[in-house]
Amino acid sequence: MECYRMQVVVIVSLMLLFPNTQGWGEDGHAIVCKIAQSRLGDTASEAVKKLLPEYAENDLASVCSWADHVKFIFHWSSALHFADTPENLCNFQYNRDCKDQNGEKGRCVVGAINNYTNQLLSYGRNKVHSQYNLTQALLFLSHFMGDIHQPLHVGFLGDKGGNTIDVHWYKQKQNLHHVWDDSIIETAEERFYGSEIGDFINAIQENITKEWDSEVKGWETCNSNQTTCPDLYASESIKAACQWAYKGVTEGSVLGDDYFLSRLPTVNLRLAQGGVRLAATLNRIFG
Ligand code: ADE
Ligand code: ZN
Ligand code: ZN
C-alpha cells in the first residue's frame, strides 16, 4: 500500500513537472473520455468507478492523459501511442505497420488497444486477483482509444506523424503534429466556445445525437463479434491524415483560417468517434 501511495506521489509530481506532452493534447483526451463515460451502461459504469484511482473522483477524463505523463518512467510504453506507415502509404496494414523501432511486432497503438482490452476482459473472471493491473489497463485503453483517432497518430514514418514538419499556425511556430494534437482544438475553443472545454464537449455531444445520429450505430459496430476493432480506426486515421492533415502542407506552410475551418469538421468527427467507440468497447468488455 505504501508502495502504491509512493507511485501516486511520483506520478502526480511528474504530471506537474511535465504538463501537456503528446497525444491528442490534454483537451482532446479529456473530450474523448468525457463523451465515453457519459455513454456507459450500468455495469461498465460500475466497473470503471471501481477501477479508477481514488484521486480521479470517478472522473475518467481527469486521468485520460496519464499515459502521456508516464512515458518517462515506463519507457516501453512510448511506442504504443502511434502506428505509422512507411513510404508515405495511405493505408494501414497491421503486419507491416504495427511494430516498434526495433521491429518488435504488435508494439503500436493497435496492438496496445487489443492487449489492454484483453487484460480488462479478465475483470470479474478472477474475483480475487487479476494477474494484471487493471487500473493501468483502463487508463491505457482510454488514452490509446483517443490517440488512434488522431489522424497523425497513424501518419507517415518518415516525418514521425508530422512531428518533423515545421509550419506556422497563424503567427505561431508549430509542427504539424502539434497542430492536430492541440492547436485546432484550442483555436476552436477560443473562437467558438469562450475558451470553455465544457461548451465544446456539449457541442460535440449535440452533434452525436443529431447530425451523426444515423451513423453512430455503425461507429460502434465491429466485424465478427470482436470486442474492439482498432485496425479499422487506424485505417480511417491514415486516410484522414492523407486527405486532410498532410494535404496541401509542406515544410514552412502558413496554416490559417482556410486550413483551420476546413479541417475542424474532421477533428470534431474523430473526437466524437473516439468517445463513442471507447464507450462501446468498455460496454462490451464489462457488459
Ligand atoms: N513518434 C513517431 N511517430 C509518431 C506519431 N505518429 N505520433 C506521435 N509520436 C510519434
Ligand atoms: Zn498518447
Ligand atoms: Zn500526438
Side-chain angles (χ1 to χ4, degrees):
M1 199 58 203
E2 269 311 302
C3 178
Y4 179 70
R5 290 171 79 99
M6 206 48 222
Q7 237 182 335
V8 170
V9 169
V10 168
I11 289 164
V12 170
S13 311
L14 282 167
M15 289 170 75
L16 295 171
L17 277 169
F18 303 99
N20 215 17
T21 47
Q22 292 166 32
W24 286 110
E26 195 90 29
D27 282 9
H29 282 290
I31 291 165
V32 167
C33 281
K34 270 274 184 244
I35 292 169
Q37 200 171 13
S38 78
R39 300 176 65 85
L40 295 180
D42 290 346
T43 51
S45 189
E46 271 305 305
V48 165
K49 191 174 174 179
K50 285 212 174 91
L51 287 174
L52 279 174
E54 206 163 330
Y55 67 83
E57 298 178 338
N58 195 28
D59 178 15
L60 185 61
S62 72
V63 287
C64 211
S65 290
W66 172 84
D68 274 334
H69 303 300
V70 299
K71 278 182 199 168
F72 309 95
I73 46 175
F74 299 154
H75 285 288
W76 51 266
S77 70
S78 52
L80 304 181
H81 293 252
F82 57 89
D84 297 330
T85 66
E87 299 159 32
N88 295 7
L89 291 170
C90 292
N91 69 316
F92 176 80
Q93 285 179 17
Y94 183 87
N95 284 325
R96 183 191 66 202
D97 305 331
C98 192
K99 50 186 185 247
D100 63 16
Q101 284 179 314
N102 302 321
E104 202 174 322
K105 292 197 66 178
R107 291 193 22 85
C108 81
V109 69
V110 177
I113 287 174
N114 283 327
N115 175 45
Y116 290 113
T117 296
N118 285 331
Q119 290 192 13
L120 286 168
L121 282 168
S122 75
Y123 179 86
R125 219 181 272 154
N126 190 335
K127 278 271 183 258
V128 187
H129 263 309
S130 171
Q131 62 184 299
Y132 306 113
N133 181 332
L134 295 185
T135 295
Q136 291 188 356
L138 173 67
L139 303 199
F140 275 130
L141 177 64
S142 302
H143 180 89
F144 294 144
M145 193 63 82
D147 277 348
I148 200 171
H149 283 84
Q150 205 281 51
L152 287 177
H153 275 241
V154 191
F156 300 148
L157 210 49
D159 56 48
K160 298 186 191 303
N163 271 297
T164 65
I165 302 177
D166 292 323
V167 297
H168 290 267
W169 181 251
Y170 294 86
K171 293 192 168 147
Q172 208 180 6
K173 277 191 167 189
Q174 234 11 304
N175 72 62
L176 184 62
H177 188 93
H178 186 273
V179 165
W180 281 78
D181 271 354
D182 297 87
S183 309
I184 297 175
I185 293 172
E186 284 166 8
T187 301
E189 284 168 354
E190 285 162 18
R191 200 179 292 186
F192 303 125
Y193 304 102
S195 296
E196 292 290 334
I197 185 175
D199 292 349
F200 189 32
I201 295 170
N202 290 340
I204 297 175
Q205 296 269 40
E206 188 165 312
N207 275 340
I208 290 172
T209 53
K210 297 195 177 137
E211 188 188 344
W212 296 317
D213 182 50
S214 61
E215 293 160 63
V216 168
K217 269 272 170 299
W219 300 352
E220 292 174 326
T221 306
C222 293
N223 278 335
S224 56
N225 298 325
Q226 297 168 92
T227 310
T228 189
C229 35
D231 266 277
L232 171 67
Y233 318 149
S235 296
E236 293 169 352
S237 266
I238 183 64
K239 291 262 175 326
C242 289
Q243 196 179 345
W244 298 106
Y246 287 121
K247 188 76 157 255
V249 178
T250 51
E251 177 79 16
S253 285
V254 180
L255 308 180
D257 273 350
D258 286 350
Y259 191 89
F260 169 60
L261 294 171
S262 57
R263 272 59 174 180
L264 182 57
T266 300
V267 170
N268 286 334
L269 175 69
R270 295 307 278 165
L271 292 169
Q273 289 177 322
V276 166
R277 284 160 166 173
L278 175 56
T281 298
L282 292 171
N283 283 327
R284 283 190 287 260
I285 289 172
F286 299 114

